[in-house]
Coordinates of all heavy atoms in Angstrom, one line a residue:
A524 N -21.8 -9.8 -5.2 CA -20.5 -10.2 -5.2 C -20.1 -10.7 -6.6 O -19.0 -10.4 -7.1 CB -20.3 -11.5 -4.3
P525 N -21.0 -11.5 -7.4 CA -20.5 -11.9 -8.7 C -20.2 -10.7 -9.6 O -19.3 -10.7 -10.4 CB -21.6 -12.8 -9.2 CG -22.3 -13.2 -8.0 CD -22.3 -12.1 -7.0
D526 N -21.1 -9.7 -9.5 CA -21.0 -8.5 -10.4 C -19.6 -7.8 -10.0 O -18.9 -7.3 -10.9 CB -22.1 -7.6 -10.2 CG -22.2 -6.5 -11.3 OD1 -22.1 -6.8 -12.4 OD2 -22.3 -5.4 -10.9
A527 N -19.5 -7.6 -8.7 CA -18.2 -7.1 -8.3 C -16.9 -7.8 -8.8 O -15.9 -7.1 -9.1 CB -18.1 -7.0 -6.7
G528 N -17.0 -9.1 -8.8 CA -15.8 -9.9 -9.3 C -15.6 -9.6 -10.7 O -14.4 -9.6 -11.1
R529 N -16.7 -9.4 -11.4 CA -16.5 -9.3 -13.0 C -15.9 -7.9 -13.2 O -15.2 -7.8 -14.3 CB -17.8 -9.3 -13.7 CG -18.4 -10.8 -13.8 CD -19.5 -10.8 -14.7 NE -20.7 -10.3 -14.2 CZ -21.6 -11.0 -13.5 NH1 -21.5 -12.2 -13.3 NH2 -22.6 -10.3 -12.9
K530 N -16.1 -6.9 -12.4 CA -15.6 -5.6 -12.7 C -14.3 -5.3 -12.0 O -13.6 -4.3 -12.2 CB -16.7 -4.6 -12.1 CG -17.9 -4.5 -12.9 CD -18.9 -3.5 -12.2 CE -20.2 -3.4 -12.9 NZ -20.9 -4.8 -12.9
A531 N -13.9 -6.1 -11.0 CA -12.6 -5.9 -10.3 C -11.5 -5.7 -11.1 O -10.7 -4.7 -10.9 CB -12.5 -7.0 -9.2
L532 N -11.2 -6.6 -12.0 CA -10.0 -6.6 -12.8 C -10.0 -5.3 -13.8 O -8.9 -4.7 -13.9 CB -9.9 -7.8 -13.6 CG -8.6 -8.0 -14.4 CD1 -7.5 -8.1 -13.6 CD2 -8.7 -9.3 -15.3
A533 N -11.1 -5.0 -14.3 CA -11.2 -3.8 -15.2 C -11.0 -2.5 -14.4 O -10.3 -1.6 -14.9 CB -12.6 -3.8 -15.9
V534 N -11.5 -2.4 -13.2 CA -11.2 -1.3 -12.3 C -9.8 -1.1 -12.1 O -9.2 -0.1 -12.0 CB -12.1 -1.3 -11.0 CG1 -11.7 -0.3 -10.0 CG2 -13.5 -1.1 -11.3
Y535 N -9.2 -2.3 -11.7 CA -7.7 -2.2 -11.3 C -6.9 -1.7 -12.6 O -6.0 -0.9 -12.4 CB -7.3 -3.6 -10.8 CG -5.9 -3.6 -10.5 CD1 -5.5 -3.5 -9.1 CD2 -4.8 -3.8 -11.4 CE1 -4.1 -3.5 -8.7 CE2 -3.5 -3.7 -11.0 CZ -3.2 -3.6 -9.7 OH -1.8 -3.6 -9.4
L536 N -7.2 -2.3 -13.7 CA -6.3 -2.0 -14.9 C -6.6 -0.7 -15.5 O -5.7 -0.1 -16.0 CB -6.5 -3.2 -15.8 CG -5.7 -4.5 -15.5 CD1 -6.1 -5.6 -16.4 CD2 -4.2 -4.2 -15.6
L537 N -7.9 -0.3 -15.5 CA -8.2 1.0 -16.2 C -8.1 2.2 -15.3 O -8.1 3.3 -15.9 CB -9.7 0.9 -16.6 CG -10.0 -0.1 -17.8 CD1 -11.5 -0.3 -18.0 CD2 -9.3 0.5 -19.1
G538 N -8.0 2.1 -14.0 CA -7.9 3.2 -13.1 C -6.9 4.3 -13.5 O -7.1 5.5 -13.7
Y539 N -5.7 3.9 -13.7 CA -4.6 4.8 -14.0 C -4.8 5.4 -15.4 O -4.7 6.7 -15.5 CB -3.1 4.1 -13.9 CG -2.0 5.1 -13.9 CD1 -1.6 5.5 -12.7 CD2 -1.5 5.6 -15.1 CE1 -0.5 6.5 -12.7 CE2 -0.5 6.5 -15.1 CZ 0.1 6.9 -13.9 OH 1.1 7.9 -13.9
P540 N -5.0 4.6 -16.5 CA -5.2 5.3 -17.7 C -6.3 6.2 -17.8 O -6.3 7.3 -18.4 CB -5.4 4.1 -18.8 CG -4.8 2.9 -18.0 CD -4.9 3.2 -16.6
V541 N -7.5 5.9 -17.2 CA -8.6 6.8 -17.2 C -8.3 8.1 -16.5 O -8.7 9.2 -17.0 CB -9.8 6.0 -16.5 CG1 -11.0 7.1 -16.2 CG2 -10.4 4.9 -17.6
M542 N -7.6 8.0 -15.4 CA -7.2 9.2 -14.5 C -6.4 10.1 -15.4 O -6.5 11.3 -15.6 CB -6.5 8.7 -13.3 CG -5.9 9.9 -12.6 SD -4.8 9.4 -11.2 CE -3.3 8.9 -12.3
M543 N -5.4 9.4 -16.1 CA -4.4 10.2 -16.9 C -5.1 10.9 -18.1 O -4.9 12.1 -18.5 CB -3.3 9.4 -17.5 CG -2.3 9.0 -16.3 SD -1.5 10.4 -15.6 CE -0.8 11.3 -16.9
I544 N -6.1 10.2 -18.7 CA -6.8 10.8 -19.9 C -7.6 12.1 -19.4 O -7.6 13.0 -20.0 CB -7.7 9.7 -20.5 CG1 -7.0 8.7 -21.2 CG2 -8.8 10.4 -21.3 CD1 -7.7 7.5 -21.7
W545 N -8.2 11.9 -18.2 CA -8.9 13.1 -17.7 C -8.0 14.3 -17.3 O -8.3 15.3 -17.7 CB -9.7 12.8 -16.4 CG -11.1 12.2 -16.7 CD1 -11.6 11.0 -16.7 CD2 -12.2 13.1 -17.1 NE1 -12.9 11.0 -17.1 CE2 -13.2 12.3 -17.3 CE3 -12.3 14.5 -17.2 CZ2 -14.6 12.7 -17.6 CZ3 -13.6 15.0 -17.6 CH2 -14.8 14.1 -17.7
R546 N -6.9 14.0 -16.9 CA -5.9 15.0 -16.6 C -5.4 15.7 -17.8 O -5.2 17.0 -17.8 CB -4.7 14.5 -15.7 CG -5.1 14.1 -14.3 CD -4.0 13.7 -13.5 NE -4.3 13.5 -12.1 CZ -3.7 12.9 -11.2 NH1 -2.5 12.5 -11.4 NH2 -4.1 12.6 -9.9
V547 N -5.1 15.0 -18.8 CA -4.5 15.5 -20.0 C -5.6 16.2 -20.8 O -5.5 17.4 -21.3 CB -3.8 14.5 -21.0 CG1 -3.5 14.9 -22.3 CG2 -2.7 13.9 -20.3
E548 N -6.8 15.7 -20.8 CA -7.9 16.3 -21.6 C -8.4 17.5 -20.8 O -9.0 18.5 -21.4 CB -9.0 15.3 -21.9 CG -8.7 14.2 -22.9 CD -8.1 14.8 -24.2 OE1 -8.9 15.8 -24.7 OE2 -7.2 14.4 -24.8
G549 N -8.3 17.6 -19.5 CA -8.7 18.6 -18.7 C -8.0 19.9 -19.1 O -8.5 21.0 -19.0
I550 N -6.7 19.7 -19.3 CA -5.8 20.9 -19.8 C -6.3 21.4 -21.1 O -6.4 22.6 -21.3 CB -4.4 20.4 -19.9 CG1 -3.8 20.0 -18.5 CG2 -3.5 21.5 -20.5 CD1 -2.5 19.4 -18.5
H551 N -6.7 20.5 -22.0 CA -7.1 20.9 -23.4 C -8.5 21.6 -23.4 O -8.8 22.4 -24.3 CB -7.0 19.8 -24.3 CG -5.6 19.3 -24.6 ND1 -5.0 18.5 -24.0 CD2 -4.8 19.7 -25.8 CE1 -3.8 18.3 -24.6 NE2 -3.7 19.0 -25.6
V552 N -9.3 21.1 -22.5 CA -10.7 21.7 -22.5 C -10.8 22.9 -21.5 O -11.9 23.4 -21.3 CB -11.8 20.7 -22.2 CG1 -11.7 19.7 -23.2 CG2 -11.5 20.1 -20.8
A553 N -9.6 23.3 -21.0 CA -9.6 24.5 -20.2 C -10.4 24.5 -19.0 O -11.2 25.3 -18.6 CB -9.9 25.8 -21.0
M554 N -10.5 23.3 -18.3 CA -11.2 23.2 -17.0 C -10.5 24.1 -15.9 O -9.4 24.4 -15.9 CB -11.1 21.7 -16.4 CG -12.0 20.8 -17.4 SD -12.0 19.2 -16.6 CE -13.1 18.3 -17.7
P555 N -11.3 24.7 -15.1 CA -10.8 25.7 -14.1 C -9.8 24.9 -13.1 O -10.0 23.7 -12.9 CB -12.0 26.2 -13.3 CG -13.0 25.0 -13.5 CD -12.8 24.5 -14.9
L556 N -8.9 25.7 -12.6 CA -7.8 25.0 -11.7 C -8.4 24.5 -10.5 O -7.9 23.5 -9.9 CB -6.7 26.1 -11.4 CG -5.9 26.7 -12.5 CD1 -5.0 27.7 -12.0 CD2 -5.0 25.4 -13.1
S557 N -9.5 25.0 -10.0 CA -10.2 24.6 -8.9 C -10.7 23.3 -8.9 O -11.0 22.5 -8.0 CB -11.3 25.6 -8.3 OG -12.2 25.8 -9.5
F558 N -11.0 22.8 -10.2 CA -11.6 21.6 -10.5 C -10.5 20.4 -10.2 O -10.9 19.3 -9.7 CB -12.0 21.4 -11.9 CG -12.8 20.1 -12.3 CD1 -14.0 19.9 -11.8 CD2 -12.2 19.1 -13.1 CE1 -14.7 18.8 -12.1 CE2 -12.8 17.9 -13.4 CZ -14.1 17.8 -12.9
A559 N -9.2 20.7 -10.5 CA -8.2 19.6 -10.2 C -8.1 19.3 -8.8 O -8.0 20.2 -7.9 CB -6.9 20.1 -10.8

């Protein structure tokens, strides 16, 4: 539980930016469409 508590805020705040970085970079590194 203490470890989960320390990570909870970071997971909440970083979830959207990390997702967007992967989507944008996925286009540039030519990942297959089936991966999305």
